[in-house]
Amino acid sequence: MGLKVSDLAPRALQSEIRAMTAECQRMGGVNLAQGVCDTDPPEVVLREAKAAMDAGFNQYTRMEGIERLRVAVAAEVSARHGLGVDPEGEVLITSGATGAFHATAMALLNPGDEVIVFEPFYGYHPGTLRALRMVPVVVSLTGDDWALDIDAMRAAVTERTRAVLINTPGNPSGKIFSLAELEAVATLALEHNLFVFTDEIYEHFTYGKRPHIPMRTLPGMRERTITMSGYSKTYSVTGWRIGTVVADARWTPSISYFHDMTYVCAPAPLQHGVAAGLETLDAGFYKGLATEHLSKRTMLVEALLDAGLTPHLPEGAYYILADVSRLPGETASEKARWLLRETGVAGVAGSAFFRPGGGEGLMRFCFAKKDAELKEACERLGALRG
Ligand SMILES: Cc1ncc(COP(=O)(O)O)c(C=O)c1O
């Protein structure tokens, strides 16, 4: 009858992460595949979101987000960045960091524009660009510590390049871009007049080797950096969909317009809950988050080493990429399914984070789990010992 899906739709496959999660649920395994934090949200955040519902904050908000939350975000970010942020013109509340990136790409790029993305990547980054008919140009990070190859990055620039996308601390690698690496990206952006989109959703999850440095704090970068983040991970509320954009007032009206077209606004009462968190939780909370996850990292690193699945030690975020080349199976996907069958532990095939052919000897394991569940996963991995 002539009706058909779009040209892109046949290529849209179910994400490997969701597939592993479904498989894991079916067999009652321990799910270290999906990046959902099983740790509890801060009590004040939950309480104030419920109170906001009871108080009648259940309708659309301003498209930029409620003033209370924009003010709280501006205060927190300007204190941490050491740079003023105007809550009226420079902050948007979005439907997660995901909505932030979608709206940013819609607002600032045209179809066919190229964006440099580093590999291993978070699949939504190239996926969102492709969905919008833009072109992710992938540059590999190199070596055990996923170092930036400056020459390769420079070689990837063409006359269609409009932006560089940085995810730091990174998913899945845990890489934190060093100051020298950020400076190299900044130099390139200034030279070629590029935007830098930064996904900093794991900004509070750092384990000591390097601090997280926000790109917008580098000289000359404030105007051209679109800083995207959110509270999914920090407050353990991935289902709430509260994200942020901090950007120059030249860009926020357009980003806000496109965010409005897709999402209208972020959930009203949940914006109040997150604002309450920002208003009341002190530095100790954020430090505690890192300390708590560092001990979870240690637990999983030891179990992986013990099981002969050599881990890359992540500097930030809450995932570990481990070498699973010794497991049976031709591909990472087969190895991941073998591991789930044999031990009941679900991880994600490394190939989900690389171009075709890459990541086949790797798997990603998430350690943002309650200790009891993580301990069980570690014990189950022990079956591979010897
Ligand atoms: C790098 C990265 N960015 C964004 C997201 C999603 O963030 P949000 O829930 O705020 O949309 C994730 C979730 O796993 C992520 O790993």
Side-chain angles (χ1 to χ4, degrees):
M1 54 177 179
L3 292 176
K4 58 184 176 96
V5 296
S6 77
D7 294 346
L8 276 182
R11 281 193 271 153
L13 299 171
Q14 188 193 19
S15 102
E16 180 69 12
I17 300 173
R18 283 187 217 300
M20 284 306 286
T21 298
E23 183 71 16
C24 180
Q25 268 166 2
R26 215 174 42 78
M27 61 171 286
V30 188
N31 186 8
L32 304 189
Q34 208 163 22
V36 288
C37 339
D38 287 350
T39 47
D40 292 321
E43 214 259 312
V44 61
V45 172
L46 293 180
R47 194 177 60 237
E48 289 284 315
K50 290 176 200 159
M53 270 180 229
D54 291 338
F57 292 107
N58 298 304
Q59 310 306 327
Y60 300 136
T61 72
R62 252 180 73 171
M63 69 177 177
E64 295 86 353
I66 61 168
E67 184 183 7
R68 177 183 178 193
L69 182 51
R70 281 182 290 106
V71 167
V73 168
E76 194 276 330
V77 172
S78 49
R80 204 157 34 82
H81 290 194
L83 266 186
V85 177
D86 173 11
E88 263 312 303
E90 295 182 326
V91 179
L92 300 176
I93 308 305
T94 58
S95 176
T98 307
F101 183 45
H102 188 266
T104 296
M106 293 280 281
L108 304 181
L109 301 173
N110 291 309
D113 282 355
E114 294 178 1
V115 178
I116 294 178
V117 173
F118 297 101
E119 178 187 65
F121 44 68
Y122 169 60
Y124 273 62
H125 291 150
T128 299
L129 291 168
R130 283 198 202 97
L132 296 173
R133 277 67 174 172
M134 290 143 197
V135 185
V137 174
V138 179
V139 173
S140 299
L141 298 168
T142 59
D144 273 353
D145 60 349
W146 310 109
L148 174 68
D149 179 341
I150 297 174
D151 294 336
M153 173 178 71
R154 289 190 155 273
V157 175
T158 74
E159 61 190 22
R160 303 297 322 243
T161 309
R162 294 286 173 272
V164 182
L165 172 60
I166 286 180
N167 173 211
T168 184
N171 172 10
S173 64
K175 174 188 174 61
I176 295 182
F177 276 70
S178 69
L179 179 59
E181 290 174 328
L182 293 172
E183 282 170 347
V185 174
T187 304
L188 185 85
L190 290 164
E191 243 173 66
H192 293 274
N193 201 22
L194 309 175
F195 283 110
V196 179
F197 304 144
T198 67
D199 178 336
E200 303 182 25
I201 191 122
Y202 297 103
E203 58 202 340
H204 295 291
F205 297 83
T206 61
Y207 305 120
K209 190 173 160 217
R210 280 179 185 162
H212 165 63
I213 304 171
M215 177 57 105
R216 66 186 281 281
T217 62
L218 268 65
M221 294 309 290
R222 209 188 130 282
E223 293 75 15
R224 61 182 64 245
T225 303
I226 312 297
T227 307
M228 302 176 290
S229 190
Y231 295 91
S232 280
K233 316 288 174 174
T234 307
Y235 290 165
S236 202
V237 288
T238 54
W240 281 22
R241 318 308 307 129
I242 306 284
T244 56
V245 168
V246 173
D248 190 85
R250 262 177 85 189
W251 318 122
T252 49
S254 309
I255 299 172
S256 186
Y257 171 83
F258 284 104
H259 186 268
D260 180 22
M261 285 298 108
T262 314
Y263 307 98
V264 182
C265 65
L270 309 186
Q271 293 189 52
H272 283 274
V274 168
L278 281 166
E279 288 158 3
T280 55
L281 297 167
D282 61 13
F285 168 81
Y286 302 96
K287 242 177 108 184
L289 208 58
T291 315
E292 187 192 338
H293 283 79
L294 176 59
S295 88
K296 293 180 195 294
R297 183 189 77 165
T298 306
M299 204 196 295
L300 186 56
V301 162
E302 279 169 8
L304 288 166
L305 279 171
D306 220 33
L309 307 178
T310 310
H312 289 260
L313 196 63
E315 299 168 28
Y318 49 54
Y319 308 95
I320 298 178
L321 279 174
D323 182 343
V324 293
S325 42
R326 80 174 186 87
L327 299 185
E330 285 291 303
T331 62
S333 180
E334 283 174 21
K335 290 172 193 293
R337 280 166 178 76
W338 181 89
L339 188 70
L340 180 58
R341 261 195 327 272
E342 290 301 310
T343 66
V345 175
V348 186
S351 45
F353 311 101
F354 290 80
R355 285 165 288 182
E360 296 294 1
L362 294 171
M363 272 183 72
R364 188 198 76 173
F365 299 94
C366 173
F367 57 83
K369 298 278 144 191
K370 289 202 166 132
D371 280 346
E373 205 181 345
L374 192 59
K375 195 157 164 270
E376 180 172 353
C378 291
E379 278 165 15
R380 286 172 178 235
L381 286 172
L384 299 179
R385 226 179 279 139

